[in-house]
Amino acid sequence: MNSTARSPISLPGRVVVFDYGEVISVEPTAANRAELLAIAGVADVDADAFWTAYWAPRAPLDAGTISIREYWDAVAATMGRQWDTATVHLLWVCDVTGWMSVNTATLAVIERLVAGGTRTALLSNAGADYSGFFRNGSFGHLFEQHFISGELHLVKPDAAIYQHVLDALGIAADQMIFIDNRADNVAGAEDLGITGHVFTSAEQLSAFLETAQVGVSA
């Protein structure tokens, strides 16, 4: 085992801000996707059309400009369907549950940062319905603050959301390190002078932060 695998990572004067989806979380499983299709009453032959309809109104949902009901109504309309309130609830539960599984290796890296006294925060494009889970769930205590697009009515990579985070944390752009799995979101942060890292694995993230730690210590 690498001797640094569990050692603290100390980045004094810096705040490491993490995306949630596919950084802390893992993507929904095939079983979860199949369950969502079953609840929606969508046959396998129509699966591609469903997922296109699923993603199309996601940005306004994440921005908090449409409700959960309005989101699923938009998906239904694209599919030429109508879902009653009970079905929408089941779709919502299945969808949210699918995004709740976490990458334990990423959490271990965050714990190393916290152990090293490094400030951390969460910045996610997600509906406001995720706020309780992010703040009060099993890993909520690892973050100093939680920034959720559905509450802020701003979404990455809009420069305004990064500026809001900087202001709320009381730091300058060069004091923030931003971790996200999407290159466009990282580029949006870097445009403001924030240090960015495109997440591909917890191992690469660990190596990136250890290198940053050496730079701070030098």
Side-chain angles (χ1 to χ4, degrees), residues 144-194:
E144 178 181 318
Q145 294 194 54
H146 307 77
F147 302 98
I148 301 150
S149 63
E151 294 180 339
L152 300 174
H153 304 299
L154 298 167
V155 294
K156 298 173 291 185
D158 187 335
I161 197 168
Y162 305 112
Q163 190 59 55
H164 175 89
V165 171
L166 292 170
D167 293 342
L169 293 171
I171 59 173
D174 62 2
Q175 295 176 283
M176 176 170 155
I177 299 174
F178 178 58
I179 314 299
D180 199 296
N181 67 307
R182 291 180 54 116
D184 57 337
N185 289 340
V186 170
E190 291 176 334
D191 285 344
L192 273 70
I194 295 166

Side-chain angles (χ1 to χ4, degrees), residues 6-10 108-118 120 142:
R6 292 289 175 180
S7 60
I9 301 174
S10 180
V109 174
I110 299 170
E111 288 186 315
R112 292 173 61 200
L113 287 165
V114 173
T118 304
T120 59
L142 296 175

